[in-house]
Amino acid sequence: MDNEHCSRERSASLDLLLRFQRLLVSKLYPEDCVGQVPNTYSPDLLGVGSLLKKYTALLCTHIGDILPVATSIASTSHRHFAEVSRVVDGDLTGILLPELVVSVVLLLSKNAGLMQEAGAIPLLAGLLEHLDRFNHLAPGKERDDNEDLAWPGIMGSFFTGQSCRNNEEVTLIRKADLENHNKDGGFWTVIDGKVYDIKDFQTQSLTGSSIL
């Protein structure tokens, strides 16, 4: 409700779809039912699950048609990518899909059996390749892929040979090097055996250097 101004910018039909999506999720969210036999679901609940699958199939069909076109246009230049991203962000892809994915993950963690019965998850998985291709056009992607903290991604074929590093390419930093660097005004820190430079983050952080 904090983003009511965003709701006003959406079309009435898109807003209705979002409300319908949230209604489906709320109906599937498990209540604490005492005495209920595990892995048994009422016909009403299975009906809602079937409706979620149908809704997800229609949504994925639309997004599956939109993303290849968006990727084709966005690949022209960074300016085209920014403009296409703005359009996609206001479409079903940017409004309905992110919340649906989070909701399905939540429902899966609460009641995996019911979600497997509903069968909506494989439909969403079919969008991963389209989303991955579009996201690979984002400026700075190469830098993010080369960072140790960056998520390696779902589609392994895109990353063959990129994630593996030879021992010669890994820079070893001794404890004395780290201490000397920090004495000279730097800000390196060690997390799980890897050294990270958080100097830029220090200037933006509100927590203070002692906590960092």
Side-chain angles (χ1 to χ4, degrees):
M1 302 308 293
D2 294 335
N3 298 323
E4 288 184 355
H5 64 282
C6 294
S7 179
R8 294 191 197 100
E9 294 176 0
R10 290 195 298 261
S11 67
S13 58
L14 190 55
D15 203 50
L16 184 63
L17 281 173
L18 182 59
R19 290 171 182 268
F20 176 70
Q21 177 176 298
R22 290 173 176 174
L23 180 63
L24 287 177
V25 172
S26 67
K27 292 294 183 182
L28 289 171
Y29 192 82
E31 299 176 1
D32 295 327
C33 299
V34 180
Q36 181 178 344
V37 180
N39 297 325
T40 59
Y41 312 110
S42 68
D44 288 346
L45 203 57
L46 291 175
V48 176
S50 178
L51 198 57
L52 176 65
K53 181 179 180 180
K54 181 65 174 176
Y55 169 81
T56 305
L58 293 171
L59 182 63
C60 289
T61 298
H62 171 79
I63 295 174
D65 292 338
I66 291 293
L67 280 179
V69 178
T71 302
S72 176
I73 299 172
S75 63
T76 307
S77 68
H78 290 324
R79 185 177 63 83
H80 283 80
F81 177 84
E83 189 62 25
V84 170
S85 297
R86 185 187 63 79
V87 174
V88 169
D89 194 45
D91 183 56
L92 306 184
T93 309
I95 295 176
L96 299 181
L97 182 62
E99 188 171 311
L100 179 62
V101 170
V102 172
S103 299
V104 166
V105 171
L106 174 63
L107 291 172
L108 187 63
S109 68
K110 293 291 184 179
N111 198 332
L114 177 59
M115 291 308 295
Q116 304 232 341
E117 286 276 345
I121 297 174
L123 298 172
L124 290 170
L127 291 177
L128 288 177
E129 187 173 354
H130 292 304
L131 291 167
D132 203 57
R133 284 176 178 167
F134 182 78
N135 288 333
H136 266 65
L137 298 175
K141 182 269 302 181
E142 292 83 1
R143 181 195 64 231
D144 292 339
D145 279 350
N146 290 328
E147 292 213 353
D148 289 330
L149 285 178
W151 178 55
I154 284 289
M155 309 306 294
S157 60
F158 285 97
F159 298 93
T160 303
Q162 292 184 16
S163 59
C164 300
R165 297 182 177 181
N166 297 326
N167 291 333
E168 295 81 25
E169 297 175 339
V170 178
T171 302
L172 299 179
I173 299 177
R174 298 173 301 174
K175 185 178 180 182
D177 297 331
L178 183 141
E179 291 174 348
N180 290 333
H181 178 82
N182 288 349
K183 285 178 183 176
D184 294 336
F187 206 147
W188 287 354
T189 187
V190 181
I191 303 172
D192 292 334
K194 292 185 174 64
V195 179
Y196 298 96
D197 188 349
I198 58 173
K199 180 68 176 178
D200 292 339
F201 179 74
Q202 177 193 15
T203 60
Q204 304 169 12
S205 173
L206 302 176
T207 59
S209 298
S210 58
I211 296 178
L212 291 177

